[in-house]
Amino acid sequence: MSTLDRRLFDELRDIVGPNAIVSHATELKVYECDGWTIEKGMPDLLVLPRTTAQVSAILAALDRRGIAFVPRGAGTGLSGGCLPMHAPVMICTSRMNRILEVEFDNRRAVVESGVVNLHVTNAAKPRGYYYAPDPSSQPACTIGGNIAENSGGPHTLKYGVTANHVLAIELVLPGGEVVELGDSTEERCGYDLVGAVVGAEGTTGIVTRATLRLMREPENHRTLLATFADVDSATQAVSAIIASGIVPAAIEMMDRLIIQAVEEAFHVGLSKDAGAVLIIELDGLEAGLTSYASRAAEIVSAAGATSVKLARDEAERSLLWKARKRAFGAVGRLAPNYATQDGVVPRTHLPRILRVISEASTRHKLRIGNVFHAGDGNIHPIILYDERDPDQVRRAIEAGREILKACVEMGGSLTGEHGIGVEKLAEMPLLFSPDDLRVMAELRHVFDPNERANPGKVIPTPGSCVEVAAPRRQAPV
C-alpha cells in the first residue's frame, strides 16, 4: 500500500473494526463477480459496515479522496451490477441484517438493506402477511439488492415488482449525507424520489434501510401444471388465459431442456418428453377460485395442453414451486457455465422470441434453455457454455445480444428484473435515444455529481455502445 492507501485503510478500519475490512486477494476473490460470471473483477478493498452511521463515515472518507465505490448485497444479481468497474472499494451491506419493525396495523415492515428477502415474509407470516416480490433467489438475495435491481419474481404478474412495494428508503449519498426519501403512507405527493432510486443499481448511493409494504396472505390458491408438446402451444395458451379476463398470480414456463434438468435434480413428476410446461397459479378469496381454475384448465386444453393437473394440497403446490424456483440451480447439471438473459416482449410475441432464441442456439452452436415469467413476457433464456473455451464465451455473449436486440425490435425491453449492470450496457442505445440517456445522466448527477457511486453501470459513456440509427420503441405492425 502507498502512504495514502495505508491511511485510508487505517481510517476505514477505525470506522468498522478490524474484522469488517478485507484486503487480501485470496479473500477478495469471493467477491469478483455476481451471478453474471462471464465478467469478473476484484475490488482492492472490501468493507462490511453494520450501521448507517458507518456507511456514512465510509463514504465521507472516500469522497474526501475522490475514490469511487461499488455497493454489494448478497451477490445474487445476474447482470454484473456489483462488478467493481473503476471502483476500488466495495461496500457490502450483508451485515446490516436487522428487521427493525413489523407493524401489522399499517401493513409495513422496516428493515435494513442486508435483510434476506424471504426473512421478511417469515417475520410477517405468523399474522397472515407476506412480502410479495419473490425472486427465484428469494432464500438468499437481500432487500438492498432487490431495490438496486428492482427485482421481480413469478408473482410479478399480479402483484408487481419491488418498486410497487417500497414505501420509503434511507439513502446514504456518495458524499456521506444521509437522506430519507418517501414516507410510510400509501399515497405520496411531489416527485417520486423513491422510484428514482429503486432500479438505479446503486448509482445514487447506498440504501441502508427500507420501509416495505406487506400484503395479506391470499385466502387460498389453485395451482395448475399444464403440459404441452411444444413451446408454441404453451405460449399461445398464456395469451389466451389473459385475454379471457383471468389474471393469475403467476404463469411460469419451462421448456424441454429445463424440464429434464429439473426432473433429474428434484423428481417432481414432470414429463421429460414434454416440449413445455406451464405452472399457473390463481389466488384470492376461496369463493370463485375453483371455477376460475376450471376455466383456466379449459383454456389451456383448448390451446393444446396434453394434460392439466391441479395440485391437490400445499405439499404438491410447494413441490411445483420448488421445481420452478430451483430450476437455475438444476441447470448446473447441463454445462460448466451458463448466462441468464432477461429480456421482455409483449406476451403475444412470446412464440416469435422463442423462435429467435432457437435460431440463435443453432447459429452459435450453444444449447439454450428457457424458464421464465410467461405471464408478463419476461423471458430468461439460459445460454449454456464452458468458460474454459474463449470461443464459447464469445458466442454466448453474441447470442445474448441478438436475443436482446430482437426483444427491443418486438416492442419490448432489455431487462425485466435483472438490471443493466455491465452485461447490457452496450445495448442501451437500442432502446434509448442520446437525449434519453443524457436526461438519465442529469438525474444521476442530482444524487451523485461526480459519478463515484457504482461507476460504469446503467448509463453508457460516449463511444462505448453499439451503433444504431434510432431507438425502436414500438412493435412492428
Side-chain angles (χ1 to χ4, degrees):
M1 282 188 179
S2 67
T3 303
L4 180 61
D5 290 337
R6 184 76 251 176
R7 289 175 181 172
L8 174 62
F9 181 90
D10 291 343
E11 183 174 354
L12 296 180
R13 183 185 57 191
D14 290 342
I15 293 169
V16 297
N19 296 323
I21 188 165
V22 178
S23 59
H24 295 294
T26 52
E27 296 172 300
L28 289 170
K29 192 169 180 62
V30 177
Y31 300 89
E32 69 177 357
C33 67
D34 58 10
W36 173 254
T37 59
I38 284 181
E39 298 180 66
K40 298 181 175 72
M42 292 191 301
D44 295 334
L45 202 63
L46 170 74
V47 191
L48 295 143
R50 290 186 179 274
T51 68
T52 298
Q54 288 181 350
V55 174
S56 175
I58 291 165
L59 295 193
L62 298 178
D63 185 62
R64 288 193 297 271
R65 296 168 171 85
I67 295 174
F69 62 90
V70 55
R72 181 185 173 102
T76 59
L78 291 161
S79 65
C82 59
L83 199 68
M85 302 288 291
H86 316 296
V89 178
M90 178 178 285
I91 301 169
C92 182
T93 59
S94 60
R95 293 186 180 180
M96 302 178 68
N97 55 11
R98 295 179 300 161
I99 296 177
L100 301 173
E101 182 182 12
V102 180
E103 190 179 351
F104 294 106
D105 289 345
N106 287 315
R107 300 189 177 191
R108 68 187 188 190
V110 181
V111 307
E112 291 182 325
S113 57
V115 170
V116 171
N117 177 296
L118 185 60
H119 293 179
V120 182
T121 285
N122 289 343
K125 197 174 184 66
R127 292 280 296 274
Y129 291 86
Y130 75 112
Y131 180 59
D134 61 337
S136 295
S137 56
Q138 188 180 30
C141 65
T142 61
I143 294 300
N146 292 170
I147 290 172
E149 306 300 332
N150 195 19
S151 303
H155 292 82
T156 291
L157 175 61
K158 183 174 182 179
Y159 295 107
V161 292
T162 297
N164 303 114
H165 299 274
V166 178
L167 298 172
I169 58 175
E170 178 181 75
L171 176 71
V172 184
L173 298 174
E177 180 184 0
V178 181
V179 297
E180 302 276 351
L181 304 178
D183 56 50
S184 58
T185 60
E186 295 290 327
E187 302 295 337
R188 294 191 292 263
C189 58
Y191 292 118
D192 182 11
L193 297 179
V194 172
V197 173
V198 178
E201 303 187 32
T203 60
T204 57
I206 297 181
V207 172
T208 52
R209 189 178 67 204
T211 301
L212 309 176
R213 176 183 288 111
L214 298 178
M215 303 284 290
R216 190 73 180 173
E217 282 276 7
E219 188 173 317
N220 216 330
H221 305 81
R222 296 290 188 277
T223 306
L224 305 169
L225 176 69
T227 302
F228 296 83
D230 54 67
V231 294
D232 269 8
S233 53
T235 52
Q236 295 288 355
V238 172
S239 293
I241 291 171
I242 303 299
S244 74
I246 297 173
V247 181
I251 307 178
E252 299 291 296
M253 196 193 101
M254 295 185 284
D255 71 2
R256 176 172 289 147
L257 187 59
I258 301 300
I259 292 167
Q260 292 173 350
V262 166
E263 186 58 28
E264 289 174 7
F266 304 117
H267 310 291
V268 296
L270 303 177
S271 171
K272 292 184 181 180
D273 296 327
V277 297
L278 293 179
I279 298 173
I280 305 160
E281 181 156 287
L282 301 107
D283 67 10
L285 297 174
E286 175 63 35
L289 267 184
T290 297
S291 61
Y292 279 126
S294 297
R295 177 63 181 140
E298 292 171 0
I299 291 169
V300 297
S301 295
T306 57
S307 71
V308 185
K309 297 179 181 178
L310 174 69
R312 292 172 296 181
D313 51 32
E314 184 59 28
E316 286 195 358
R317 172 178 176 257
S318 296
L319 192 60
L320 286 177
W321 281 114
K322 175 182 177 181
R324 167 59 185 91
K325 290 202 169 189
R326 296 191 181 181
F328 292 102
V331 171
R333 293 170 169 265
L334 302 177
N337 305 92
Y338 64 86
T340 306
Q341 275 295 347
D342 173 49
V344 184
V345 295
R347 67 176 67 90
T348 53
H349 288 296
L350 283 172
R352 288 181 59 199
I353 194 62
L354 287 171
R355 285 193 287 272
V356 169
I357 293 168
S358 177
E359 291 165 2
S361 174
T362 301
R363 182 163 48 255
H364 294 285
K365 300 179 181 179
L366 295 170
R367 290 188 296 170
I368 303 178
N370 292 280
V371 51
F372 58 90
H373 312 314
D376 54 358
N378 186 187
I379 62 168
H380 293 324
I382 301 175
I383 305 169
L384 307 177
Y385 70 99
D386 187 338
E387 69 177 2
R388 294 168 295 185
D389 182 348
D391 187 59
Q392 284 194 39
V393 174
R394 178 189 60 77
R395 284 183 275 134
I397 293 172
E398 288 181 0
R401 287 176 173 168
E402 289 177 10
I403 293 167
L404 290 174
K405 184 174 183 290
C407 287
V408 174
E409 290 173 345
M410 293 179 194
S413 175
L414 297 172
T415 178
E417 57 182 343
H418 296 175
I420 298 300
V422 296
E423 173 205 4
K424 305 180 185 76
L425 195 65
E427 279 67 53
M428 285 288 276
L430 293 172
L431 190 61
F432 298 106
S433 71
D435 286 343
D436 293 334
L437 296 173
R438 190 176 302 112
V439 170
M440 290 182 193
E442 290 173 356
L443 176 59
R444 173 182 179 166
H445 291 163
V446 172
F447 296 89
D448 181 22
N450 298 310
E451 297 192 9
R452 290 181 186 145
N454 209 8
K457 308 293 170 57
V458 186
I459 305 168
T461 56
S464 66
C465 308
V466 294
E467 295 296 328
V468 290
R472 295 293 300 273
R473 295 184 179 279
Q474 302 295 326
V477 177

